Amino acid sequence: MKLHRESKGTITVASLLFIIISALSIYFLEMWSLVIILPLLVVYSLVFWFFRVPNRDILDHKENVIAPVDGKVVMIKEVEEDEFIKGKAIQVSIFMSPLNVHICRYPVSGKVIYKKYHPGKYLVAWHEKSSTENERTTVAVESLTNHKVVFRQIAGYVARRIVFYCKEGDDAKAGHEFGFIKFGSRMDVFLPLDTEIVCKIGDITKGGLDVIARMKED
């Protein structure tokens, strides 16, 4: 199984803790140490599972808006996007549990025209205010259909580290990685009002594969 590059520090710490706690348990508890070691082994295995990088065949897209993460669609509504679009947009929000793949992918192809990191709170990721009050990043892409699409990584109550690798001027390719969030969070995508939304609340998405909307060429 291939592991994400963001896993190195976490897995090193988890491995040291697993070895130390297991050794102490065996020394002091002998056979009863299994009561501690077996659940600890499950948690240790889940750390590796969290950082997995699945093999996915990413296609080329123009009008399609691709799910940027694995997760569950929890919001589709018209909102005011005040940071970059500065006007009305359709917001599609996808919540990720700690068991989902946490690679963040471009939802559309085009050119990166804006990026910004915002420090903030750590409200639970499904809280509506987390989009504007939590630690987050904002990225905007000028799409191949000549639309400005904004998407936002949002830290949650558990997720305390957001990473994004893109720079202004980079080519964005729908379905390809631009960042990573550790341990449960949310992604918001802000789309033009005339976008055809093809997902619905409650849908389970596969990042890089599932089409969540289609934009008309401008």
Side-chain angles (χ1 to χ4, degrees), residues 83 114 116-120 132 134-138 152 162:
E83 181 177 348
Y114 177 84
K116 188 171 184 179
Y117 166 79
H118 302 271
T132 55
N134 276 22
E135 179 188 7
R136 61 199 182 279
T137 68
T138 302
R152 189 169 289 144
I162 299 174

Side-chain angles (χ1 to χ4, degrees), residues 12 23 43 53 68 75 92 99-102 115 118 121 145 147 153 160 208:
T12 298
V43 174
V53 178
M75 184 187 298
V92 179
L99 296 180
N100 286 127
V101 174
H102 273 57
K115 61 169 281 189
H118 302 271
K121 300 177 183 179
T145 55
H147 293 95
Q153 296 169 294
R160 297 295 175 112

Side-chain angles (χ1 to χ4, degrees), residues 5 14 16 32 45 47 61 63 77 80 89 104-105 113-114 119 129 138 153 155 162 177 186 197 200 207 211:
R5 53 178 161 170
L16 289 173
W32 287 102
S45 300
V47 173
H61 297 277
E63 294 89 359
K77 65 182 296 186
E80 287 282 338
C104 299
R105 305 171 187 273
I113 55 176
Y114 177 84
K129 289 186 177 179
T138 302
Q153 296 169 294
I162 299 174
E177 181 181 359
R186 200 176 96 193
I197 306 298
K200 61 184 183 297
V211 177

Side-chain angles (χ1 to χ4, degrees), residues 63-66 191 195-199 211-215:
E63 294 89 359
N64 289 340
V65 181
I66 304 303
L191 300 164
T195 302
E196 177 192 1
I197 306 298
V198 299
C199 65
V211 177
I212 60 172
R214 293 186 181 92
M215 293 189 298

